[in-house]
Every structure is written in C-alpha cells, then in structure tokens.
Amino acid sequence: MKITDAKVIVCSPGRNFVTLKIVTDEGIHGLGDATLNGRELAVASYLTDHLIPLLIGRDADRIEDTWQYLYKGAYWRRGPVTMSAISAVDTALWDIKAKSLGVPLYQLLGGASRDSVLVYGHASGATIEDTVAAVADYLKLGYKAIRAQSGIPGLASTYGVGRGKMYYEPAEEGGAPVENLWSTEKYLNFAPQLFARLRKEFGEDIHLLHDAHHRLTPIEAARLGKNLEPFHLFWLEDPVAGELQEGFHLIRQHTTTPLAVGEVFDTIYDCQQLIQNQWIDYIRTTVVHAGGITHLRKIANLAEIYHVRTGCHGATDLSPVCMAAALHFDLSVHNFGIQEYMRHSDQTDQVFPHSYTFAEGFMHPGDAPGLGVDINEALAAKYPYRRAYLPINRKLDGTMHSW
Ligand code: EZ4
Ligand code: CO
C-alpha cells in the first residue's frame, strides 16, 4: 500500500489544532495529531515543507522503518517540533494499518489488557470552597479520579484554575502571553490545606491528583510531598522541571507521595534515568509529543521492567485524534496507570467525530476500525488558526519563573 497524498489541516474550533492526513492508493486515509500548544505553525511547516515530500510514494505499511527514516534521517535529533511531526506521521500510519485490516488499533497492539481505561478530570476553583464544589460536580459525572487545583490567597491568578468550573484552557489568544505572578512560599503553605479539606469532605476512597507544574526546587517539592502524605494523593505531578532528571532523587529520599512527570518530554532519553532509578511512579509522555504509538510503546516497555506505570497527558491541546490514539495505547499496554481526560469543547468534538466513550469514570476507544476518529474538513475550514500563547509566570519581584 503506497502513500499517494498527505496534507496538514490547521484549525481552531475553540482552540488550535494541527492534524496530518495521509491518503493511500487503496483509498484508506489515516490521521495524526501534530498540535504543539503555542508553537503550532512550526510543526505544520515541518510537516508540509520537509516531511510530506518524503512520504509520497512510500510504503504505508512500513511504520517502524518510516519512524527510523524520519528520526535518523533528520540528523538533528529529538526536540518537540521534530518529534511532534514524527508522532503525527506514526499515528496516521497506525490508523491506516488498522483500518486496512478492519480492526480497532488496540487489537494490533496486543489486544485489550483491561475492560476500560481509568481517567481523571480537572476540578478547580478560585477558592478552596469553589474547588470543593467542582470536585462534587465531577463525582456526579461518575469520575473516580480527580485532579484538584485552587487559587492561592494573595495571588491574583494561578496555574490550573479554569475560566469555568468544568473547563480549563491555559492558552490565550492575543499578541503576547498573559503574565501570571507566583510565590512558592504562599503555595507551599496553602496546598496541604486544600487536600485536608477535600479528604474531610469526600473521604478516603476517591483518587485525588495534583499538578505542581514544574514550579518547585527538589527540596521544596520534598516538603510538599511530605506534607501531602496524610492525604495519600494518587500522584504529585511535575514537582520540579524535568530537564535535570537526578533532581527527582532528592524528592524520592524524603516522601512516599507518588511522583509523575513527562508531559513535555519527547523521547525515551528524557525518561531513561527517571525510570531506571525508580525515581518516579508514573511516566506521562504522550502520543503526540513523544514519537507516536511506536515510540510510546518503547517507553512503556522500559517502564514496565522498573514498576513504573503510564499516565498519559490528555489536556485540551491534545486533539481528539491524540485522545483516541492514547486510549488504544492505554487499553492495550500492560503497565497502564491512568489517563488524563479534559473534555473538549462541543466545537472541537464536532470537527473531530469519534468513537471513544466515557462512562462512570472510565473510557473506551470503541471498536471502529483504526483510531475511530475522523476530521470534518469542511467544518474545520470554518475555524481558521488564531495565534495563541501559553502564559508566562513571574515571581513577585518580576523574575521569570517556570509557568
Ligand atoms: O499545561 O497542556 O496536566 N496538564 C497540564 C496542562 C498543560 C498544557 C500545556 O499545553 O499540565 O494543563
Ligand atoms: Co501537567
């Protein structure tokens, strides 16, 4: 089966998405998500200007070979732009192969290891009591696992607090990034109060998660992990920036709070020390940013040996194409842990009709052949790209800090 055509579709049905569509001589098409939040057009150009000319005429069935051809063939290895582009090609080729065989993708990945996939939603509020109300709303929807974030007294805005209770979207349209103000001291004093209140309200059984969004030093993260131990979080996410993998060693020596990281990682090399030293409990790399299904399986296989489980990133900037791919991966991989699931807007869901479903806190990719997701190109064309940036973050004295 030969690739005869490929194109990039950039659209903004509520937020920006970059989608690769590959067509074969058998009339089968496949989709891959290539969205890199705030830097979308760089990946679109990488695909259109550099990869698509190489894809035309290639054998669509040679997925591993195409991955290696694009990775080794670039000479310039790794990096989010390159890896998001390779991910999109890889995902689209898995979609095509599964469609050509008439099976849902998870059947090609070893079949289902579980009946359905545990997901967590995002509850947030400007105050602790608002967050309590948001968690209650998620419980009513059937969620068994909920990430909780709250505004911090004395800070005008903070990471993870949505504009509406059930929807969180950090990217903002406009000429420059929104600027947030940050105080680690205020945060560290406040965060344990939030979880004490949530356990008092909802008891011990629900899974609670929290994202520190790369803002702490290792010793600060160690203090937070220790203070959160009585509330037994499912995980503490991104306690420190992940570039320095050995930074997790210090945190690990001080706390039994489980640690998760990986949403900004793009290859197995970003995870290698973390996994092999068992410094983390969950690896959060995604199909769209870490090399597609092909590479994510290699990361999961390495993690399995070291008792590390998966916890794929699944925010709104990961399109329904990525969400579908993630769910096939989650259903099949043995050492699955949990999947993040932020609901997309109705506009997004209309542009990307899909077969995956949510019920009682669990999801299933569905049994349509391939990924089980498509793109309505006519509708997508009605939502042109709109430049948007993720926020930046400054300390109270103006110093740039991690967002
Ligand atoms: O900030 O997806 O766990 N979820 C997150 C997200 C990320 C955005 C970045 O594009 O941390 O909210
Ligand atoms: Co996160």
Side-chain angles (χ1 to χ4, degrees):
M1 185 171 34
K2 292 260 178 290
I3 297 173
T4 51
D5 196 13
K7 67 173 164 184
V8 175
I9 302 155
V10 181
C11 63
S12 192
R15 70 161 348 281
N16 292 315
F17 294 110
V18 178
T19 309
L20 174 68
K21 179 172 182 175
I22 295 180
V23 182
T24 71
D25 57 0
E26 292 184 14
I28 297 173
H29 73 267
L31 298 180
D33 183 17
T35 309
L36 184 62
N37 206 0
R39 298 292 186 269
E40 295 86 0
L41 299 184
V43 188
S45 162
Y46 194 110
L47 283 164
T48 305
D49 297 323
H50 303 292
L51 298 198
I52 288 177
L54 304 177
L55 294 177
I56 309 301
R58 282 186 73 82
D59 184 348
D61 280 317
R62 296 183 61 168
I63 299 177
E64 176 72 31
D65 181 66
T66 298
W67 195 99
Q68 300 293 345
Y69 179 73
L70 299 179
Y71 183 80
K72 295 189 165 71
Y75 184 67
W76 310 107
R77 295 186 182 202
R78 307 167 59 182
V81 176
T82 296
M83 296 310 294
S84 298
I86 293 175
S87 301
V89 175
D90 185 80
T91 309
L93 293 182
W94 278 105
D95 190 20
I96 288 168
K97 190 183 282 290
K99 279 181 176 170
S100 76
L101 296 171
V103 295
L105 174 60
Y106 71 83
Q107 294 293 9
L108 299 187
L109 307 178
S113 285
R114 53 197 51 80
D115 300 332
S116 55
V117 169
L118 176 69
V119 299
Y120 70 92
H122 282 206
S124 68
T127 64
I128 289 185
E129 292 314 311
D130 288 351
T131 306
V132 168
V135 169
D137 288 342
Y138 274 90
L139 288 172
K140 269 184 230 139
L141 290 172
Y143 283 84
K144 307 288 182 276
I146 300 165
R147 186 188 95 161
Q149 310 288 140
S150 169
I152 300 167
L155 293 180
S157 60
T158 193
Y159 168 75
V161 179
R163 276 162 260 172
K165 262 198 293 190
M166 307 305 278
Y167 189 78
Y168 171 64
E169 173 55 69
E172 292 269 8
E173 287 172 23
V178 167
E179 304 219 352
N180 291 170
L181 280 180
W182 177 248
S183 160
T184 297
E185 295 74 19
K186 289 187 197 302
Y187 169 70
L188 288 178
N189 289 332
F190 171 76
Q193 297 173 37
L194 169 65
F195 286 92
R197 177 75 183 89
L198 291 172
R199 281 292 174 220
K200 187 163 167 251
E201 184 74 24
F202 299 108
E204 305 296 327
D205 286 345
I206 65 165
H207 292 309
L208 293 174
L209 299 83
H210 184 65
D211 192 347
H213 223 249
H214 334 268
R215 293 175 175 202
L216 305 176
T217 64
I219 199 68
E220 291 164 352
R223 171 181 152 195
L224 179 62
K226 249 183 164 167
N227 289 341
L228 292 175
E229 278 172 21
F231 316 116
H232 53 91
L233 264 53
F234 187 97
W235 76 36
L236 173 61
E237 177 175 333
D238 292 342
V240 294
E243 292 99 317
L244 182 68
Q245 295 186 33
E246 66 196 55
F248 282 77
H249 185 202
L250 189 143
I251 309 172
R252 206 57 163 168
Q253 288 174 314
H254 289 284
T255 181
T256 58
T257 293
L259 303 175
V261 70
E263 66 182 47
V264 303
F265 292 177
D266 52 59
T267 66
I268 198 166
Y269 304 105
D270 297 324
C271 329
Q272 188 179 3
Q273 282 175 274
L274 289 167
I275 291 172
Q276 290 184 330
N277 290 304
Q278 302 177 47
W279 287 334
I280 56 169
D281 300 278
Y282 295 91
I283 184 67
R284 302 192 64 256
T285 44
T286 59
V287 172
V288 54
H289 299 132
I293 294 283
T294 296
H295 198 66
L296 218 61
R297 288 177 85 201
K298 295 180 187 186
I299 295 173
N301 292 164
L302 175 69
E304 184 183 349
I305 304 173
Y306 295 97
H307 304 276
V308 173
R309 287 180 281 171
T310 66
C312 294
H313 187 207
T316 46
D317 49 301
L318 291 83
S319 88
V321 177
C322 179
M323 194 64 207
L327 290 169
H328 287 278
F329 171 81
D330 298 337
L331 195 69
S332 62
V333 73
H334 171 67
N335 53 324
F336 165 77
I338 200 168
Q339 168 69 51
E340 183 180 26
Y341 174 50
M342 286 172 74
R343 288 157 182 274
H344 286 110
S345 67
D346 290 344
Q347 291 158 300
T348 298
D349 283 338
Q350 284 155 13
V351 167
F352 296 96
H354 50 260
S355 66
Y356 60 75
T357 50
F358 170 93
E360 295 303 317
F362 292 83
M363 292 181 77
H364 193 282
D367 283 303
L371 290 171
V373 59
D374 214 336
I375 183 164
N376 180 335
E377 290 184 58
L379 191 56
K382 294 190 177 152
Y383 300 105
Y385 171 78
R386 301 156 80 107
R387 178 169 292 107
Y389 292 98
L390 287 169
I392 61 117
N393 200 27
R394 290 187 191 277
K395 295 193 212 179
L396 297 181
D397 70 357
T399 309
M400 275 290 291
H401 195 64
S402 300
W403 171 68

